[in-house]
Amino acid sequence: IQPPEKPLQAEEWNRLKESFRSPEVFEEVMFNSMVRCNSPIDVAKSLLTHVAKSNGDIAYNLLVKYLALCVHQGQVSEIRDVYDIMKIRFKSFDSGAYNLFIRGLCNSDEWRMALTLLEEVKKIMVPSRTNYESCIKAASRHQEMNLAFQLYHEMLAKDLVPSFDILQALFDFSRGMEGAELQKELFGILLYLRENQMYPHKTFMWSIKLWFESIPGGHWRGHLTNIKNSGQCPVCNHQLEDSNLTEEEYSNLRERIIRDVIHGTDTFRKTSPQEFEAFQTFVENRLPFDIVIDGLNVSHIKPRKMQCENLFDAVNCLAKENTRLLVLGRKHMLVNSSNWKREIMKEMQNKADFFFAENISEDDAFLLYATLQSGKHCKFVTRDFLRDHKACLSDSLTRHLFRKWQRGHQISNKMFFSVFIQQPAFRYDCVVQTTGDTWHIPYKDAFEEKYSYQVPRKWLCIQQKR
């Protein structure tokens, strides 16, 4: 259905509606079409007026569709009018309507009203990341950086993960501004990237570089570089942090993971204590392993292939030079089926130890336990990021050690035409690092929404020249 190009009179709307094959949904379909075609506001308004006169009122969903069109076109006074109408008619709004109101107002001089709406949202639900980010951008655009960072911290406290877009905006809008507190906040963002092993993309990296170089009297200079395999920066000759944990760090981490994660709250929700005890005995009798494989996870690498073949390729590739493998499987793998062929399973069991857990068990805890008990040399293979387990670790130092251990021990696996490719571990730690007067920031060429195990080879080195 094509929306008209100019406003229509009541009888013209009626004629259109009668010619439509499902008149009962005519208005809804027409509004959807107007939003899609970005119709002029006066055309949409003439339909809204017609609906109000015919029905005595306008349904909630039609008002929200009209609102979406107003927001798309930045029609601030119309957004305000829709808000006033809906406020009188409805006790509360859904998250979609709040998102539209906040986004629409934040892009205007009425942005402070969006802050009032954010407070309104908080009373009935947790505001979305989009709600916060719209308000943070609006405050930053108006140079109210204290307010922007207050909202940013509030967002983090609600476990909302900020997008690179908003982090970049905070650097962009702070460019050239003075203030030790502001610097501290932006350094805090860089440490947040370190803590969460996040790699900025190229445009975000440029924003960081330009901000450093714009600090009044800061004397910072940034250079793009590649770190040598030894871990030395060719620009400032600084040696990056070692990727290996010390013996003390490793044993502390192992104790904490076994205490907080494995025996903590989340493990036995999907596995019984008896099964886990059986697994511990199994592992203790066969230690140490060199590589522990999350069998079910790896079996899904190539969707078009049989699951047991995916796993077979991985086991074949890793079972070299007497490498001792432990594969964590599920009991259904032992039942002959189209995905799990008995003869292939038998052949794999000649090359690796297998532990088959119940089909409902969570295998992350098994994976962590077997790897950590095997010692510092042991690596593990999974495409999972183990975010939940990091969250169980109560202090930031242990979380940092966990991430560092994970970077050095998690084998990234990608299947290319049946070739199992492993990425070698670096001797240096691939995260944001600082000594106070230097910062080293690894970055990626392109933006990636999802986490990737491919660590960047490119770095930004920033030095303060006194």
Side-chain angles (χ1 to χ4, degrees):
I1 186 168
Q2 201 58 33
E5 286 172 15
K6 59 184 200 319
L8 303 184
Q9 298 300 321
E11 57 274 15
E12 294 173 298
W13 280 123
N14 281 332
R15 271 203 303 277
L16 258 185
K17 183 173 178 172
E18 283 159 19
S19 66
F20 188 61
R21 65 175 176 273
S22 310
E24 67 283 358
V25 291
F26 169 75
E27 287 86 1
E28 194 162 333
V29 175
M30 179 57 84
F31 265 114
N32 284 341
S33 186
M34 286 179 177
V35 171
R36 199 169 53 250
C37 301
N38 197 20
S39 295
I41 281 294
D42 56 352
V43 175
K45 215 169 178 177
S46 79
L47 176 55
L48 218 53
T49 310
H50 170 62
V51 171
K53 283 180 179 164
S54 309
N55 303 350
D57 66 359
I58 304 165
Y60 180 91
N61 63 333
L62 294 186
L63 281 167
V64 172
K65 287 178 198 300
Y66 176 66
L67 171 63
L69 191 63
C70 297
V71 169
H72 186 65
Q73 297 183 9
Q75 304 273 358
V76 185
S77 62
E78 287 299 314
I79 295 170
R80 287 292 308 255
D81 288 350
V82 176
Y83 177 75
D84 292 339
I85 292 165
M86 287 180 72
K87 197 75 194 136
I88 294 163
R89 290 223 13 233
F90 308 104
K91 280 198 179 73
S92 65
F93 310 147
D94 69 331
S95 58
Y98 275 121
N99 279 345
L100 287 166
F101 280 125
I102 290 173
R103 195 171 90 223
L105 293 165
C106 279
N107 290 328
S108 74
D109 292 337
E110 303 259 359
W111 67 278
R112 284 190 182 280
M113 187 183 163
L115 299 177
T116 313
L117 285 186
L118 185 66
E119 290 306 312
E120 215 173 281
V121 175
K122 282 185 216 169
K123 288 175 189 156
I124 48 175
M125 62 182 114
V126 175
S128 68
R129 170 168 100 169
T130 319
N131 294 158
Y132 272 110
E133 294 197 344
S134 299
C135 294
I136 291 169
K137 250 189 187 159
S140 304
R141 207 180 290 117
H142 293 85
Q143 300 287 284
E144 299 220 12
M145 299 314 293
N146 287 348
L147 174 59
F149 276 105
Q150 182 190 323
L151 291 166
Y152 166 71
H153 288 297
E154 207 174 279
M155 177 180 168
L156 290 185
K158 289 182 163 49
D159 283 334
L160 296 168
V161 177
S163 65
F164 277 166
D165 182 49
I166 202 66
L167 298 179
Q168 184 181 337
L170 288 167
F171 278 95
D172 286 340
F173 288 118
S174 302
R175 209 174 290 166
M177 291 175 79
E178 290 193 66
E181 197 52 43
L182 180 65
Q183 270 185 53
K184 194 175 149 195
E185 289 286 13
L186 290 155
F187 288 161
I189 291 179
L190 295 176
L191 294 174
Y192 175 82
L193 297 179
R194 170 189 171 90
E195 166 91 14
N196 292 285
Q197 194 185 335
M198 292 160 82
Y199 304 121
H201 51 79
K202 207 175 203 167
T203 50
F204 182 12
M205 178 275 296
W206 275 109
S207 294
I208 295 169
K209 180 180 184 290
L210 291 171
W211 171 72
F212 266 102
E213 292 173 347
S214 79
I215 298 172
H219 310 294
W220 291 95
R221 279 290 158 269
H223 298 274
L224 309 190
T225 186
N226 288 357
I227 302 295
K228 296 174 185 170
N229 286 340
S230 64
Q232 191 182 42
C233 171
V235 178
C236 65
N237 296 324
H238 177 74
Q239 186 68 33
L240 295 193
E241 293 170 34
D242 195 317
S243 63
N244 285 325
L245 268 58
T246 63
E247 290 296 341
E248 190 184 354
E249 285 174 333
Y250 181 76
S251 64
N252 284 347
L253 178 68
R254 189 173 67 181
E255 278 170 33
R256 289 298 301 275
I257 287 183
I258 287 172
R259 192 185 77 202
D260 292 1
V261 178
I262 292 169
H263 294 311
T265 52
D266 71 340
T267 305
F268 297 126
R269 280 184 203 153
K270 289 190 181 169
T271 182
S272 68
Q274 293 81 353
E275 182 181 43
F276 199 75
E277 273 170 36
F279 174 68
Q280 284 175 298
T281 309
F282 174 91
V283 167
E284 299 305 327
N285 290 337
R286 289 166 177 78
L287 282 174
F289 296 104
D290 299 309
I291 299 174
V292 182
I293 301 170
D294 180 344
L296 195 61
N297 186 287
V298 169
S299 74
H300 289 286
I301 280 181
K302 285 185 93 173
R304 288 191 197 88
K305 254 184 136 172
M306 241 193 297
Q307 287 174 26
C308 62
E309 283 186 354
N310 279 332
L311 185 55
F312 185 69
D313 287 343
V315 168
N316 251 353
C317 173
L318 296 169
K320 288 172 185 159
E321 295 155 15
N322 299 323
T323 302
R324 297 208 53 231
L325 304 182
L326 168 61
V327 180
L328 300 172
R330 298 293 173 85
K331 289 196 169 157
H332 72 259
M333 295 177 179
L334 293 168
V335 179
N336 202 25
S337 66
S338 58
N339 257 318
W340 298 100
K341 298 290 180 210
R342 189 164 285 147
E343 60 277 15
I344 296 179
M345 289 303 293
K346 272 208 174 105
E347 201 176 329
M348 272 195 275
Q349 283 168 277
N350 293 331
K351 299 185 177 200
D353 280 298
F354 270 74
F355 182 86
F356 296 98
E358 292 296 337
N359 294 326
I360 55 157
S361 297
E362 272 291 356
D363 42 20
D364 287 356
F366 292 77
L367 184 81
L368 289 173
Y369 181 82
T371 309
L372 286 161
Q373 288 298 87
S374 291
K376 267 175 83 172
H377 73 289
C378 186
K379 303 270 196 289
F380 63 95
V381 183
T382 180
R383 292 178 303 158
D384 277 355
F385 193 34
L386 309 178
R387 280 186 194 278
D388 297 348
H389 301 298
K390 177 186 162 249
C392 293
L393 299 166
S394 47
D395 65 286
S396 61
L397 177 65
T398 313
R399 283 199 294 271
H400 171 67
L401 287 180
F402 179 65
R403 275 277 175 263
K404 189 172 176 177
W405 172 76
Q406 188 182 5
R407 281 192 294 276
H409 291 78
Q410 184 160 2
I411 295 174
S412 60
N413 50 66
K414 290 200 170 187
M415 289 279 195
F416 296 111
F417 312 110
S418 298
V419 179
F420 195 82
I421 295 171
Q422 287 183 53
Q423 188 183 340
F426 293 116
R427 285 174 57 186
Y428 55 89
D429 200 8
C430 198
V431 278
V432 173
Q433 311 186 10
T434 181
T435 60
D437 56 1
T438 68
W439 283 86
H440 288 90
I441 299 164
Y443 69 92
K444 297 201 165 185
D445 277 329
F447 168 72
E448 288 173 0
E449 179 66 61
K450 287 204 160 46
Y451 184 80
S452 151
Y453 295 104
Q454 299 292 330
V455 292
R457 303 305 305 256
K458 298 179 175 181
W459 290 71
L460 167 65
C461 163
I462 301 171
Q463 278 176 284
Q464 192 169 30
K465 304 275 191 182
R466 295 288 181 192

